[in-house]
Amino acid sequence: MTAGTAPAASFVRSLLRTKPVDRIVAEGGQGEGGELKRTMSLLQLTFFSVGATLGTGIFVVLGEAVPLAGPAVVLSFVLAAVTALFSALSYAELAGTIPVSGSSYSYAYATLGELVAWVCGWCLLLEYAVSVSAVAVGWGSYLNAFFDAAFGFTIPAEISNPPGDGGLVNIPAVVVVLLATLLLLRGTSESATANTVMVFLKIAVLLFFCAVAFTAFKAGNLSAFAPMGWAGISAAGGKVFFSYIGFDAASTAGEEAKNPRRDLPLAIILSLVIVTVLYVLVGLAAVAAMHWDRFAISGAEASLAEVLDVATGQSWPSMILALGAVIAIASVVLTVMYGQTRILFAMSRDGLVPDVFQKVSPGRRVPVANTVIVALFIGILAAAVPLGRLVDATSIGTLFAFALVSVGVIVLRRTRPDLPRSFRTPLFPVTPLLGVGFCVYLMVGLGGVTWTVFALWCAVGLAAYFLYGRRHSRLAARPPRDPARKGL
């Protein structure tokens, strides 16, 4: 190797350096000033993933997906579920092998190298922070639906919608972010208990919706089942994939789970099964009760409430749904914000983001400063950005991260076959390869504007890595200082 090529080779090696799995696991729970506390059971982990997932699409995005696919939106949910399943199986294997808070960021760091891990972590910022902002926007719509049905008034559009959607600032979105922040600051155990209660309520509300909507079942509403053909089903599949974002939330709790190697894989798979069954039931009930072309004009963010109004001709069912959604969607905000803070916690411990994100309060055993910073970012985003633009940007970032997890399973099987694995992805390597393929397929179906936003997001992320992350990485090789040069 010539002198000219040595620096270039060293630079490339620095981008591809991986963090040993043993070291990642050994550092689990450790932060600056304290350690995270292991309090979460299998039920709480499962409901953390269900809480982060259930509601994101059904309560908010269904109204945007039905006009694309018609009644075949049910198949769109199945398509998205299959895509999520392949990724979930890969997540389950890596979560049982590397049970830490970093989720797919940590998995990529152990398998694909620091640069890929950074890009994955940067995409997770898009997935978690932006998706919770989108859900907070939808929360305000259901709050208004409840106020209208119960009391006959609504919050003025100027303070309940973001700019571009007929308002100046979305105050309700800020409020729900603030409430979730206060709960997270109390502690992980308290947050998990509150989320479990909200998830039970959320499931009850959706089952109530199905029971009422199926009383107005009209076979004629399903007659033109796929008016846009497979193209419409596929396009809606990319849209409703947003509703599966969050099933990986359990993987961000790896350092606060009581038995992470056993419980994390189970929680990921169980949560995906639960939400898929409910999505298909709710989607079928909705399009059977209200003709699909009405979804385009009924207001996407509160479309389920509109279905109940059409089905019953009365306001009380939609009032119950809206109240349940107000409480239930709050659990999405709570759990996804939790996941975001724990990913930043892991990245900070590796030196790729500032140390403030890994500081743990000795008394509460939570990263207080991290939580407050995330809440401020999410609150500003939710207050000022319209929902539709958030959804597509989140989906493409998530699909990219999921594809990397599937690749990571293949790499780790080859490089560390000796590692203890509490769960193994079935039909290896076909399953992870299909996971990559389905993710790429749905990504291709997203619009050019979404790809432009994603490219710009990645460009900003790469700039941040080379300006800060690479220079502060804990894995960065720092040669020992020469004592003879002391003082020079």
Side-chain angles (χ1 to χ4, degrees), residues 65-73 76 224-236 291-293 296:
V66 172
L68 297 175
V73 72
S76 300
F225 188 70
M228 312 300 179
W230 180 254
I233 295 172
S234 177
H291 197 272
W292 68 272
D293 58 7

mmCIF file of all heavy atoms in Angstrom, residues 65-73 76 224-236 291-293 296:
data_model
loop_
_atom_site.group_PDB
_atom_site.id
_atom_site.type_symbol
_atom_site.label_atom_id
_atom_site.label_comp_id
_atom_site.label_asym_id
_atom_site.label_seq_id
_atom_site.Cartn_x
_atom_site.Cartn_y
_atom_site.Cartn_z
ATOM 1 N N ALA A 65 -55.895 6.355 3.245
ATOM 2 C CA ALA A 65 -55.581 5.143 2.488
ATOM 3 C C ALA A 65 -56.765 4.609 1.702
ATOM 4 O O ALA A 65 -56.600 4.092 0.590
ATOM 5 C CB ALA A 65 -55.063 4.059 3.441
ATOM 6 N N VAL A 66 -57.989 4.717 2.255
ATOM 7 C CA VAL A 66 -59.160 4.156 1.582
ATOM 8 C C VAL A 66 -59.377 4.754 0.190
ATOM 9 O O VAL A 66 -59.650 4.008 -0.763
ATOM 10 C CB VAL A 66 -60.416 4.327 2.459
ATOM 11 C CG1 VAL A 66 -61.666 3.936 1.679
ATOM 12 C CG2 VAL A 66 -60.303 3.455 3.708
ATOM 13 N N PRO A 67 -59.252 6.077 -0.030
ATOM 14 C CA PRO A 67 -59.432 6.593 -1.388
ATOM 15 C C PRO A 67 -58.428 6.047 -2.401
ATOM 16 O O PRO A 67 -58.684 6.082 -3.610
ATOM 17 C CB PRO A 67 -59.257 8.109 -1.207
ATOM 18 C CG PRO A 67 -59.639 8.368 0.206
ATOM 19 C CD PRO A 67 -59.131 7.169 0.952
ATOM 20 N N LEU A 68 -57.307 5.530 -1.944
ATOM 21 C CA LEU A 68 -56.303 4.980 -2.858
ATOM 22 C C LEU A 68 -56.626 3.554 -3.283
ATOM 23 O O LEU A 68 -56.353 3.159 -4.422
ATOM 24 C CB LEU A 68 -54.919 4.995 -2.192
ATOM 25 C CG LEU A 68 -54.334 6.356 -1.835
ATOM 26 C CD1 LEU A 68 -53.021 6.180 -1.079
ATOM 27 C CD2 LEU A 68 -54.118 7.197 -3.082
ATOM 28 N N ALA A 69 -57.205 2.757 -2.370
ATOM 29 C CA ALA A 69 -57.419 1.328 -2.646
ATOM 30 C C ALA A 69 -58.872 0.913 -2.653
ATOM 31 O O ALA A 69 -59.196 -0.187 -3.106
ATOM 32 C CB ALA A 69 -56.667 0.490 -1.607
ATOM 33 N N GLY A 70 -59.785 1.765 -2.150
ATOM 34 C CA GLY A 70 -61.169 1.350 -2.029
ATOM 35 C C GLY A 70 -61.307 0.305 -0.933
ATOM 36 O O GLY A 70 -60.491 0.249 0.006
ATOM 37 N N PRO A 71 -62.323 -0.563 -1.019
ATOM 38 C CA PRO A 71 -62.486 -1.620 -0.005
ATOM 39 C C PRO A 71 -61.270 -2.534 0.120
ATOM 40 O O PRO A 71 -61.066 -3.157 1.164
ATOM 41 C CB PRO A 71 -63.711 -2.394 -0.509
ATOM 42 C CG PRO A 71 -64.456 -1.420 -1.361
ATOM 43 C CD PRO A 71 -63.417 -0.565 -2.000
ATOM 44 N N ALA A 72 -60.457 -2.595 -0.938
ATOM 45 C CA ALA A 72 -59.261 -3.441 -0.898
ATOM 46 C C ALA A 72 -58.204 -2.895 0.042
ATOM 47 O O ALA A 72 -57.106 -3.465 0.146
ATOM 48 C CB ALA A 72 -58.677 -3.591 -2.301
ATOM 49 N N VAL A 73 -58.518 -1.819 0.768
ATOM 50 C CA VAL A 73 -57.590 -1.329 1.785
ATOM 51 C C VAL A 73 -57.309 -2.418 2.815
ATOM 52 O O VAL A 73 -56.242 -2.432 3.454
ATOM 53 C CB VAL A 73 -58.160 -0.061 2.466
ATOM 54 C CG1 VAL A 73 -59.342 -0.410 3.380
ATOM 55 C CG2 VAL A 73 -57.078 0.660 3.256
ATOM 56 N N SER A 76 -54.391 -3.985 1.677
ATOM 57 C CA SER A 76 -53.254 -3.094 1.904
ATOM 58 C C SER A 76 -52.700 -3.288 3.304
ATOM 59 O O SER A 76 -51.478 -3.289 3.509
ATOM 60 C CB SER A 76 -53.676 -1.635 1.697
ATOM 61 O OG SER A 76 -54.140 -1.415 0.379
ATOM 62 N N ALA A 224 -67.333 -3.143 -5.683
ATOM 63 C CA ALA A 224 -66.158 -2.743 -6.477
ATOM 64 C C ALA A 224 -64.950 -2.808 -5.540
ATOM 65 O O ALA A 224 -64.443 -1.789 -5.076
ATOM 66 C CB ALA A 224 -66.335 -1.347 -7.046
ATOM 67 N N PHE A 225 -64.484 -4.025 -5.281
ATOM 68 C CA PHE A 225 -63.553 -4.245 -4.187
ATOM 69 C C PHE A 225 -62.213 -3.542 -4.390
ATOM 70 O O PHE A 225 -61.661 -2.966 -3.455
ATOM 71 C CB PHE A 225 -63.333 -5.746 -3.995
ATOM 72 C CG PHE A 225 -62.540 -6.087 -2.771
ATOM 73 C CD1 PHE A 225 -63.079 -5.905 -1.508
ATOM 74 C CD2 PHE A 225 -61.248 -6.581 -2.867
ATOM 75 C CE1 PHE A 225 -62.357 -6.212 -0.361
ATOM 76 C CE2 PHE A 225 -60.521 -6.886 -1.736
ATOM 77 C CZ PHE A 225 -61.079 -6.706 -0.478
ATOM 78 N N ALA A 226 -61.675 -3.590 -5.593
ATOM 79 C CA ALA A 226 -60.360 -2.980 -5.864
ATOM 80 C C ALA A 226 -60.480 -2.057 -7.073
ATOM 81 O O ALA A 226 -59.980 -2.377 -8.157
ATOM 82 C CB ALA A 226 -59.303 -4.053 -6.086
ATOM 83 N N PRO A 227 -61.121 -0.911 -6.915
ATOM 84 C CA PRO A 227 -61.362 -0.028 -8.063
ATOM 85 C C PRO A 227 -60.093 0.496 -8.724
ATOM 86 O O PRO A 227 -60.097 0.831 -9.904
ATOM 87 C CB PRO A 227 -62.188 1.111 -7.465
ATOM 88 C CG PRO A 227 -61.871 1.085 -6.002
ATOM 89 C CD PRO A 227 -61.653 -0.354 -5.668
ATOM 90 N N MET A 228 -58.993 0.578 -7.976
ATOM 91 C CA MET A 228 -57.734 1.086 -8.528
ATOM 92 C C MET A 228 -56.764 -0.041 -8.878
ATOM 93 O O MET A 228 -55.621 0.223 -9.267
ATOM 94 C CB MET A 228 -57.052 2.035 -7.530
ATOM 95 C CG MET A 228 -57.967 3.075 -6.935
ATOM 96 S SD MET A 228 -58.715 4.158 -8.161
ATOM 97 C CE MET A 228 -59.722 5.188 -7.097
ATOM 98 N N GLY A 229 -57.213 -1.305 -8.705
ATOM 99 C CA GLY A 229 -56.354 -2.432 -9.020
ATOM 100 C C GLY A 229 -55.223 -2.590 -8.023
ATOM 101 O O GLY A 229 -55.226 -2.008 -6.931
ATOM 102 N N TRP A 230 -54.230 -3.409 -8.430
ATOM 103 C CA TRP A 230 -53.105 -3.671 -7.538
ATOM 104 C C TRP A 230 -52.290 -2.417 -7.258
ATOM 105 O O TRP A 230 -51.722 -2.258 -6.171
ATOM 106 C CB TRP A 230 -52.212 -4.754 -8.123
ATOM 107 C CG TRP A 230 -51.036 -5.060 -7.242
ATOM 108 C CD1 TRP A 230 -49.743 -4.714 -7.429
ATOM 109 C CD2 TRP A 230 -51.084 -5.726 -5.966
ATOM 110 N NE1 TRP A 230 -48.966 -5.135 -6.375
ATOM 111 C CE2 TRP A 230 -49.767 -5.760 -5.467
ATOM 112 C CE3 TRP A 230 -52.114 -6.308 -5.231
ATOM 113 C CZ2 TRP A 230 -49.450 -6.339 -4.249
ATOM 114 C CZ3 TRP A 230 -51.791 -6.892 -4.007
ATOM 115 C CH2 TRP A 230 -50.472 -6.902 -3.530
ATOM 116 N N ALA A 231 -52.247 -1.501 -8.227
ATOM 117 C CA ALA A 231 -51.495 -0.262 -8.014
ATOM 118 C C ALA A 231 -52.067 0.512 -6.830
ATOM 119 O O ALA A 231 -51.316 1.061 -6.012
ATOM 120 C CB ALA A 231 -51.523 0.595 -9.272
ATOM 121 N N GLY A 232 -53.386 0.546 -6.718
ATOM 122 C CA GLY A 232 -54.007 1.236 -5.601
ATOM 123 C C GLY A 232 -53.752 0.531 -4.280
ATOM 124 O O GLY A 232 -53.489 1.167 -3.256
ATOM 125 N N ILE A 233 -53.814 -0.812 -4.302
ATOM 126 C CA ILE A 233 -53.541 -1.586 -3.084
ATOM 127 C C ILE A 233 -52.109 -1.349 -2.616
ATOM 128 O O ILE A 233 -51.844 -1.158 -1.425
ATOM 129 C CB ILE A 233 -53.781 -3.084 -3.348
ATOM 130 C CG1 ILE A 233 -55.269 -3.344 -3.642
ATOM 131 C CG2 ILE A 233 -53.321 -3.930 -2.155
ATOM 132 C CD1 ILE A 233 -55.561 -4.749 -4.100
ATOM 133 N N SER A 234 -51.184 -1.359 -3.563
ATOM 134 C CA SER A 234 -49.778 -1.164 -3.229
ATOM 135 C C SER A 234 -49.522 0.242 -2.693
ATOM 136 O O SER A 234 -48.806 0.425 -1.700
ATOM 137 C CB SER A 234 -48.912 -1.414 -4.469
ATOM 138 O OG SER A 234 -47.554 -1.160 -4.195
ATOM 139 N N ALA A 235 -50.130 1.252 -3.362
ATOM 140 C CA ALA A 235 -49.946 2.632 -2.914
ATOM 141 C C ALA A 235 -50.498 2.819 -1.504
ATOM 142 O O ALA A 235 -49.872 3.456 -0.652
ATOM 143 C CB ALA A 235 -50.619 3.596 -3.886
ATOM 144 N N ALA A 236 -51.690 2.247 -1.253
ATOM 145 C CA ALA A 236 -52.270 2.341 0.079
ATOM 146 C C ALA A 236 -51.446 1.548 1.082
ATOM 147 O O ALA A 236 -51.357 1.923 2.262
ATOM 148 C CB ALA A 236 -53.710 1.830 0.057
ATOM 149 N N HIS A 291 -69.470 3.811 2.223
ATOM 150 C CA HIS A 291 -68.900 3.632 0.889
ATOM 151 C C HIS A 291 -67.536 4.300 0.810
ATOM 152 O O HIS A 291 -67.331 5.407 1.324
ATOM 153 C CB HIS A 291 -69.831 4.211 -0.172
ATOM 154 C CG HIS A 291 -69.523 3.713 -1.548
ATOM 155 N ND1 HIS A 291 -68.615 4.331 -2.371
ATOM 156 C CD2 HIS A 291 -69.991 2.640 -2.237
ATOM 157 C CE1 HIS A 291 -68.533 3.672 -3.522
ATOM 158 N NE2 HIS A 291 -69.363 2.638 -3.460
ATOM 159 N N TRP A 292 -66.622 3.626 0.145
ATOM 160 C CA TRP A 292 -65.227 4.064 0.165
ATOM 161 C C TRP A 292 -65.017 5.460 -0.387
ATOM 162 O O TRP A 292 -64.115 6.185 0.056
ATOM 163 C CB TRP A 292 -64.348 3.065 -0.583
ATOM 164 C CG TRP A 292 -64.585 3.008 -2.076
ATOM 165 C CD1 TRP A 292 -65.480 2.235 -2.739
ATOM 166 C CD2 TRP A 292 -63.904 3.776 -3.069
ATOM 167 N NE1 TRP A 292 -65.410 2.460 -4.085
ATOM 168 C CE2 TRP A 292 -64.445 3.404 -4.319
ATOM 169 C CE3 TRP A 292 -62.891 4.731 -3.034
ATOM 170 C CZ2 TRP A 292 -64.004 3.965 -5.520
ATOM 171 C CZ3 TRP A 292 -62.453 5.290 -4.219
ATOM 172 C CH2 TRP A 292 -63.005 4.901 -5.445
ATOM 173 N N ASP A 293 -65.844 5.908 -1.344
ATOM 174 C CA ASP A 293 -65.593 7.230 -1.938
ATOM 175 C C ASP A 293 -65.924 8.373 -0.979
ATOM 176 O O ASP A 293 -65.532 9.517 -1.217
ATOM 177 C CB ASP A 293 -66.345 7.394 -3.266
ATOM 178 C CG ASP A 293 -67.850 7.223 -3.115
ATOM 179 O OD1 ASP A 293 -68.335 7.105 -1.971
ATOM 180 O OD2 ASP A 293 -68.533 7.196 -4.157
ATOM 181 N N ALA A 296 -62.858 10.215 1.080
ATOM 182 C CA ALA A 296 -62.068 11.311 0.506
ATOM 183 C C ALA A 296 -62.585 12.676 0.938
ATOM 184 O O ALA A 296 -61.848 13.667 0.877
ATOM 185 C CB ALA A 296 -62.080 11.217 -1.023
#
